[in-house]
Amino acid sequence: MRSPAETLRNYGWLTVLGDDMAERIGGGDRLRASGAFVEVERLAADG
């Protein structure tokens, strides 16, 4: 069974990445630059 930190959650209109997963794929700046997302924001509770 995978841990929550290894699971990408996609709710159809919202994708939630944990800090570890976001960093593995380049962090928020790279996600923003990819053009794949309309908006990239860090959540208050470190998500």
Side-chain angles (χ1 to χ4, degrees):
M1 180 175 252
R2 291 182 167 217
S3 75
E6 297 175 5
T7 304
L8 176 64
R9 291 174 183 84
N10 184 340
Y11 298 101
W13 54 272
L14 173 73
T15 301
V16 179
L17 297 163
D19 286 339
D20 291 340
M21 187 178 290
E23 289 305 316
R24 279 189 284 186
I25 58 176
D29 290 337
R30 186 163 183 190
L31 290 168
R32 281 182 201 91
S34 74
F37 301 95
V38 173
E39 186 175 338
V40 176
E41 292 295 329
R42 184 170 178 86
L43 299 176
D46 294 329

